[in-house]
Amino acid sequence: QFHPEVSHTRFGKQMLKNFLFQVAGLKRAWNLGRFIDEKIAEIKTMAKEGNVICGISGGVDSATAATIVSRAVGRRLHLIFVDNGLLRAGEVAEVKRFFHRGYNFHFVDARRIFLKRLKGVVDPEKKRKIIGRTFIEVFEKEAGRIRDVRYLVQGTLYPDVIESGHGIGPASVIKSHHNVGGLPEEMGLRLIEPLRLLFKDEVRRIAKRLGLPAAIVNRKPFPGPGLAVRIIGAVDENRLETLRRADAILIEEAKQFPIYRKLWQIFPVLLPVSSVGVMGDKRSYGETIVIRAVVSEDGMTADWARLPYDLLERVARRITNEIEGIVRVVFDLTSKPPATIEWE
Ligand code: XMP
């Protein structure tokens, strides 16, 4: 019941240090600089022949994993990027721009099929399952076009390894989507997971060493099921557009404040809760946007972020002024636990 490794535990790190270096007599041999070279050498030995595929999302994990693997296998690496229609404003263009040159880059526009299957679905678990299954289907089809594929790269991190070990709670669902489900077995692929022993801050350090652009190195985590788990209730193009606009406003404003860099994540959630507002001298009726912002070391526990009132005020004003159909903006004050970071 005692967790010295959790950031909330006072002197937890000191206890671990004392145990490891004084009681157990271990030496510090973990060196991130060597890590890259060792991984490249390891992958070279492991994947001597055949092609390697890697799904990328625009996030730091998959980009870092892909870069390490590409240094080991060169053009035998094929990147697959699926646009599921659930991404944020400008995201698709950004990913395309970065990976277009120097890589075998496969772009799949699958927006229609995802939105069709999500139509009218409100249950969070069902949404996640539909998105996970559809992703695998689309990914598999694209991978099937590449000949002699033998390996699959995944940006699995150590917290994923720990969480999936327990197999309970939302974590096990995260894995079933994030890890491309049963794909390796079905296609007879071997897994390459270069980041399996790393935490997020270490991945960012590696990404920087690899020369990835700051926009990718510092990118905040974004869930595989995308905006669908931030739209409570049914997902459709209109509500996606509303949330995208709210997200763009929130991020644009948050970036002006120094606290932005310290946040693990900051994002809006769209609630299907209507309430009364006033527009000019008329009453109006509209939905609600929640602002969610947390600080965290690894996403396993999190504290709600003490955002400056000025920031909250600006965001609330702009969202209600600029986005039709939103009359109310509220701020989420819960930490994890008991709440999860995402709303679904
Ligand atoms: P929760 O909501 O479980 O989220 O507290 C912890 C962290 O994981 C991210 N998350 C996901 N990432 N696929 C992902 O790749 C998923 O299905 C998924 N669900 C949650 C979440 O954004 C947070 O950083």
Side-chain angles (χ1 to χ4, degrees):
Q1 295 297 306
F2 178 65
H3 288 275
E5 79 283 8
V6 169
S7 60
H8 293 171
T9 305
R10 280 185 76 202
F11 305 121
K13 286 214 174 93
Q14 189 62 44
M15 275 179 231
L16 289 173
K17 265 186 206 151
N18 291 348
F19 175 72
L20 294 172
F21 304 123
Q22 290 173 26
V23 180
L26 298 180
K27 295 246 155 24
R28 291 164 194 265
W30 181 250
N31 176 326
L32 272 192
R34 267 211 316 264
F35 177 89
I36 298 177
D37 293 336
E38 279 171 11
K39 275 295 151 196
I40 293 174
E42 197 180 287
I43 296 163
K44 271 188 180 154
T45 320
M46 176 185 176
K48 283 213 171 72
E49 290 173 337
N51 282 317
V52 182
I53 50 171
C54 176
I56 50 160
S57 62
V60 63
D61 305 343
S62 55
T64 306
T67 309
I68 292 177
V69 175
S70 88
R71 297 213 177 155
V73 306
R75 300 285 289 195
R76 285 191 290 131
L77 174 67
H78 290 256
L79 303 181
I80 301 178
F81 176 48
V82 175
D83 180 0
N84 58 11
L86 307 168
L87 300 169
R88 288 163 296 184
E91 216 161 16
V92 172
E94 225 170 80
V95 174
K96 274 186 174 169
R97 201 178 324 121
F98 183 70
F99 285 107
H100 227 65
R101 265 170 291 146
Y103 290 95
N104 285 311
F105 183 78
H106 305 252
F107 174 73
V108 192
D109 180 356
R111 286 176 296 176
R112 278 197 29 210
I113 180 161
F114 276 91
L115 289 194
K116 202 171 123 204
R117 290 187 184 172
L118 282 171
K119 202 172 165 190
V121 180
V122 290
D123 181 77
E125 279 311 298
K126 272 199 194 131
K127 276 187 195 171
R128 279 177 174 274
K129 289 218 172 87
I130 290 170
I131 295 164
R133 249 186 277 125
T134 308
F135 180 81
I136 290 168
E137 207 181 297
V138 171
F139 188 89
E140 215 169 57
K141 197 166 153 206
E142 189 60 30
R145 300 209 170 104
I146 304 164
R147 49 164 202 85
D148 196 21
V149 175
R150 301 198 195 170
Y151 301 90
L152 173 73
V153 180
Q154 284 186 178
T156 316
L157 304 194
Y158 199 56
D160 305 332
V161 176
I162 301 170
E163 289 199 354
S164 59
H166 292 294
I168 43 166
S172 52
V173 182
I174 293 173
K175 284 352 116 185
S176 70
H177 173 75
H178 204 190
N179 297 356
V180 211
L183 196 61
E185 297 93 75
E186 259 171 59
M187 295 180 71
L189 300 180
R190 284 181 68 192
L191 274 183
I192 301 179
E193 295 180 307
L195 314 178
R196 216 183 142 75
L197 293 178
L198 303 183
F199 285 94
K200 197 79 167 191
D201 58 321
E202 293 175 310
V203 175
R204 292 197 206 279
R205 263 147 61 201
I206 299 268
K208 210 165 156 192
R209 274 171 190 256
L210 289 167
L212 294 176
I216 291 187
V217 174
N218 300 320
R219 199 167 179 117
K220 313 236 183 257
F222 185 67
L227 298 179
V229 292
R230 296 177 180 174
I231 292 180
I232 313 305
V235 177
D236 60 37
E237 200 38 75
N238 275 340
R239 300 189 79 211
L240 277 166
E241 200 41 42
T242 300
L243 189 58
R244 273 194 197 109
R245 292 180 58 195
D247 185 78
I249 292 172
L250 178 61
I251 302 305
E252 187 187 321
E253 293 296 337
K255 277 186 172 163
Q256 321 274 332
F257 289 77
I259 197 173
Y260 179 76
R261 279 183 294 116
K262 300 200 186 111
L263 301 175
W264 172 262
Q265 276 170 308
I266 175 166
F267 57 84
V269 177
L270 178 60
L271 301 189
V273 175
S274 289
S275 65
V276 177
V278 275
M279 273 285 231
D281 47 12
K282 277 218 276 311
R283 282 162 81 83
S284 62
Y285 200 52
E287 289 190 320
T288 309
I289 285 283
V290 181
I291 296 171
R292 179 69 164 146
V294 294
V295 285
S296 173
E297 302 243 329
D298 51 22
M300 288 174 22
T301 59
D303 258 339
W304 66 273
R306 276 56 170 172
L307 296 186
Y309 283 168
D310 282 354
L311 169 59
L312 291 170
E313 201 272 333
R314 263 151 77 167
V315 169
R317 189 159 30 82
R318 280 195 60 193
I319 287 179
T320 45
N321 279 347
E322 294 174 30
I323 308 179
E324 207 186 318
I326 301 295
V327 298
R328 206 170 287 270
V329 176
V330 301
F331 185 42
D332 183 347
L333 301 173
T334 31
S335 293
K336 172 184 180 177
T340 52
I341 297 174
E342 301 290 343
W343 272 51
E344 286 194 338

